[in-house]
Amino acid sequence: FVLLEAASIGQLALQVSEDVTKLSNVLKGQELLTTASFNVGQALLEDSIPEKWTDIWEGPATPARWFDGFKRRASGLHRWATAVRKHQPVLVGESVYLTNCIRPSTLLNALRQHTARKDGVSADSLFLNCSWKPVSQEHLAINGLLLQGGLFSTELREAAPDTPSAVPVPVAHLFFTQSPPPDTNDTVMIPLYQDMERTSLLCDLAFPCKPEEKRRWCLSGAAVFIGAE
């Protein structure tokens, strides 16, 4: 997974560099304007992202935020890839920021496949579970998640009026088992999105709550994000 992600970010870096260089040459009169360069320039002038770039990584909708996210992922994936090449532990059991990934869903699927091979079971028989306490089985310790619509340390609670729109939550320990997440009166499933606009759902996470407040939390519109972009 890590080396594939690193290859993707490398491909994206080459594409961005090539397109920006061509645009610069056009502006300097050193190169003729092509349809491809026109489309890239037009997208950037309209404060959007060229389609050639979003085909590799969709990311935020505006160039400033997109480039910030791109630099963060390039840096994070470089560290991961270096560790892999040195045969050092990475990802499983380690603290992971999903904002370092181009495709967080692929990371979760890699954990599913790894668990299936280790346990000798079908990947389709496994369910994603979440614990807010350390677990013994192999897992991903996800850091940097943000909650919108409430507060959480050990149990969901209502946010004060002056609370920021999205607040950090503790490390989430994600793992796969053959048992689905428990559907109890003191837990509620809250969606985890890859973007603050809530357009790309990654999975649902189980949050502890007071039994008498479960229905309210189900209807609250609360959401979790992989991090700020």
Side-chain angles (χ1 to χ4, degrees), residues 34-154:
T34 64
T35 301
S37 293
F38 175 81
N39 291 337
V40 170
Q42 184 177 44
L44 295 174
L45 285 173
E46 293 174 351
D47 203 32
S48 60
I49 311 302
E51 186 176 347
K52 287 198 295 184
W53 302 358
T54 59
D55 284 344
I56 302 173
W57 175 57
E58 187 169 355
T62 60
R65 291 171 57 211
W66 191 92
F67 276 107
D68 283 344
F70 166 72
K71 288 187 291 185
R72 185 186 308 114
R73 284 160 176 80
S75 176
L77 286 168
H78 175 73
R79 289 196 302 272
W80 287 356
T82 300
V84 167
R85 293 185 180 105
K86 293 181 178 179
H87 305 289
Q88 296 173 348
V90 63
L91 298 181
V92 174
E94 303 290 319
S95 182
V96 175
Y97 288 83
L98 292 178
T99 49
N100 284 347
C101 301
I102 292 180
R103 303 176 186 87
S105 59
T106 305
L107 174 59
L108 293 185
N109 190 52
L111 178 63
R112 182 198 294 268
Q113 298 292 340
H114 173 79
T115 303
R117 288 194 298 269
K118 177 177 174 291
D119 295 347
V121 299
S122 165
D124 292 338
S125 69
L126 297 175
F127 296 88
L128 179 65
N129 281 256
C130 172
S131 173
W132 299 98
K133 299 177 182 178
V135 294
S136 58
Q137 57 263 67
E138 292 189 336
H139 63 282
L140 293 173
I142 306 299
N143 228 319
L145 299 181
L146 300 175
L147 172 65
Q148 187 176 72
L151 297 174
F152 178 74
S153 54
T154 59

